[in-house]
Amino acid sequence: MNGIHPFRVLRAKPLWIASGVITGVLALLFAVLYVGANIDPAGHMKKLPVGLVNADKGAAVGGRQVNLGAQITDSIRKSTAGGDKIDWKVMDEREMKEELGKGKLYGALVVPGDFTSSVTALTGTAPTGTPVRPALTVLTNQAAGSLGSSLARVATTQAADNASLHVGKELTAQTGAQQAKLPAAARVLLADPAAVTVKDGHPLDSHSGLGLTAFYYALTLVVCGMLSANVISGQVDHALGYTHNDMGPLRLHRPLIRATRVQTLAISSTLMAGLSLLMGTLVMVGAVGIMGMDASHLPLLWLYSVCAVAVSGIGALTLLAVFGTPGMLVATLVFIGMAVPTANATTPIQALPGFYRFLAEFEPLRQITGGIRSILYFDAQGDAGLTRGWVMMAAGLVAAALFGFGVLGWYDRKGLHRIPVETEPEKNATTV
């Protein structure tokens, strides 16, 4: 024993500096990534896809055919008041329902088939009766994301209100002196002829978390894979005799079994692939079986869950193997820090700053969430996110294998072994 008290290490400046730099950078990065992405969604919103449907059949007014619905949709589409925040998708009702059912629209504005006839009826001179106010329908889509649906609802409602006032001005100008002959109620409605009603364009089951169960389920899969990678890495090192294994007050140590870095990653990845069957199953049992989450296509959901855990876990194992101890911090940033804000779940990609949109193109949580959302909400349609999810998971697995085994193979060829020869225990050494 050297007689130095263990607490004297607290006097070492390198200990404070190294720990402070690492924890400080981590705290700063998480604050920037989490808060920065969500600090002004409306201000960063750009080209949020919203449907624009004109089902108005028009009506004959003064001997000519008039279609006020076409005037409204044209004015909304050409309006520059909102800049490029909304990407109005002009389509018919069938296309609109299909797009809402695939999560490609955050909402829609629909002009009903009797809009023109209902509006022109307000100019009638009947002394009795209450004029019927036509309605513009705003459809929401929480399945595509609750915040994105809310942003679309606000923008679409404002556009509908502005369109109604615009039509009201034109009708008021056209009626001119005839307004004095109209009932009082009709004159009031003439200035703002259209009501705005809000409906759910793609209803979800009650146990769908308002469209957020897909995100939290996907996040659970990714976290299971990432955290289990740390556990598996440690257990493999212990099984090979590279590290001790502390179990409470006991310290267990196994004889050293020489393994290259490539072999160690292969062993860890095999163990991860096998245990992902268990983890993926238990995640689905916990979410669907125990907590009652609404879900369909259960065999597909199970297979996707298992693959998501395996790919996330092998990716994290690769980072741990390549970077060593700092690898867990890198994995945390990749799979959590940069992933959660860019998952296209709590905040739509169209409402993120440009840097986060770039990250969203390859961040694993976004791809996995898209596939889960397709399975849970959109009848497992491939172009609703499921195909992209499978393709990107496969690409991620290939990238992890190439990066991990490529770098570790280089380590092995350079003789950068985990235990240098000079530090091996002597054959006759006494174990204490």
Side-chain angles (χ1 to χ4, degrees):
M1 296 179 65
N2 55 19
I4 299 177
H5 197 281
F7 279 92
R8 287 178 64 89
V9 299
L10 292 174
R11 297 182 181 180
K13 291 183 179 180
L15 175 64
W16 286 95
I17 294 174
S19 300
V21 168
I22 294 172
T23 57
V25 169
L26 196 63
L28 180 61
L29 286 176
F30 266 80
V32 170
L33 291 170
Y34 273 48
V35 180
N38 299 283
I39 201 166
D40 186 17
H44 291 124
M45 189 166 65
K46 185 176 182 180
K47 294 188 178 301
L48 191 74
V50 177
L52 187 58
V53 178
N54 175 32
D56 188 13
K57 298 177 182 178
V61 180
R64 63 188 181 92
Q65 190 68 16
V66 176
N67 191 307
L68 296 178
Q71 295 180 24
I72 286 178
T73 53
D74 287 343
S75 65
I76 290 176
R77 185 171 55 86
K78 297 176 181 178
S79 175
T80 59
D84 60 351
K85 292 183 179 297
I86 299 296
D87 183 13
W88 297 104
K89 306 285 188 180
V90 179
M91 56 185 64
D92 58 32
E93 288 186 283
R94 181 187 60 81
E95 292 174 323
M96 179 264 296
K97 291 179 180 178
E98 290 180 355
E99 297 292 281
L100 287 174
K102 294 177 181 179
K104 294 185 177 182
L105 296 176
Y106 284 95
L109 175 62
V110 180
V111 182
D114 62 347
F115 185 75
T116 298
S117 59
S118 298
V119 170
T120 54
L122 298 178
T123 63
T125 58
T128 60
T130 303
V132 178
R133 191 181 189 191
L136 298 174
T137 303
V138 171
L139 298 178
T140 61
N141 191 9
Q142 287 189 331
S146 55
L147 180 57
S149 178
S150 177
L151 290 170
R153 177 182 57 78
V154 172
T156 307
T157 301
Q158 183 178 4
D161 288 335
N162 292 338
S164 176
L165 293 174
H166 178 72
V167 170
K169 288 181 180 179
E170 291 187 352
L171 291 176
T172 300
Q174 291 174 6
T175 56
Q178 296 180 2
Q179 291 190 58
K181 302 178 182 180
L182 297 177
R187 290 198 299 271
V188 172
L189 291 180
L190 199 61
D192 187 10
V196 178
T197 60
V198 179
K199 297 181 180 179
D200 193 343
H202 185 73
L204 293 174
D205 295 324
S206 59
H207 289 181
S208 297
L210 300 178
L212 286 175
T213 51
F215 166 67
Y216 287 113
Y217 189 93
L219 180 61
T220 301
L221 297 176
V222 171
V223 169
C224 284
M226 186 192 72
L227 294 182
S228 62
N230 195 42
V231 174
I232 289 173
S233 178
Q235 291 300 311
V236 169
D237 283 348
H238 170 62
L240 294 174
Y242 282 90
T243 61
H244 298 286
N245 192 9
D246 291 329
M247 303 291 290
L250 302 178
R251 168 162 288 192
L252 306 178
H253 187 65
R254 296 179 180 274
L256 178 65
I257 300 175
R258 277 288 187 182
T260 65
R261 293 178 182 271
V262 168
Q263 290 171 336
T264 302
L265 179 58
I267 294 170
S268 301
S269 298
T270 302
L271 188 58
M272 174 63 73
L275 292 179
S276 65
L277 294 168
L278 172 66
M279 288 184 283
T281 301
L282 292 180
V283 168
M284 193 172 81
V285 168
V288 180
I290 298 177
M291 301 310 299
M293 182 184 77
D294 287 316
S296 57
H297 305 284
L298 294 182
L300 178 60
L301 179 62
W302 173 82
L303 178 62
Y304 194 89
S305 301
V306 169
C307 292
V309 173
V311 171
S312 300
I314 292 174
L317 282 171
T318 298
L319 296 175
L320 285 168
V322 170
F323 295 107
T325 302
M328 195 59 199
L329 297 179
V330 177
T332 301
L333 287 174
V334 171
F335 290 99
I336 302 297
M338 294 187 295
V340 172
T342 60
N344 196 30
T346 54
T347 304
I349 292 176
Q350 294 83 358
L352 293 174
F355 171 69
Y356 298 88
R357 297 182 196 182
F358 167 73
L359 291 179
E361 292 301 316
F362 56 84
E363 268 296 328
L365 183 56
R366 185 262 174 113
Q367 326 306 329
I368 294 173
T369 299
I372 295 295
R373 181 182 282 127
S374 174
I375 295 172
L376 294 183
Y377 307 150
F378 303 127
D379 198 29
Q381 298 178 82
D383 55 352
L386 186 57
T387 299
R388 180 189 176 96
W390 282 121
V391 170
M392 293 302 288
M393 280 202 294
L397 183 61
V398 171
L402 292 177
F403 176 65
F405 289 110
V407 174
L408 295 181
W410 182 78
Y411 287 170
D412 288 334
R413 290 192 300 272
K414 289 294 184 178
L416 303 174
H417 304 301
R418 301 185 66 195
I419 297 183
V421 176
E422 61 269 22
T423 63
E424 290 184 353
E426 297 179 3
K427 294 182 179 180
N428 298 325
T430 302
T431 303
V432 179

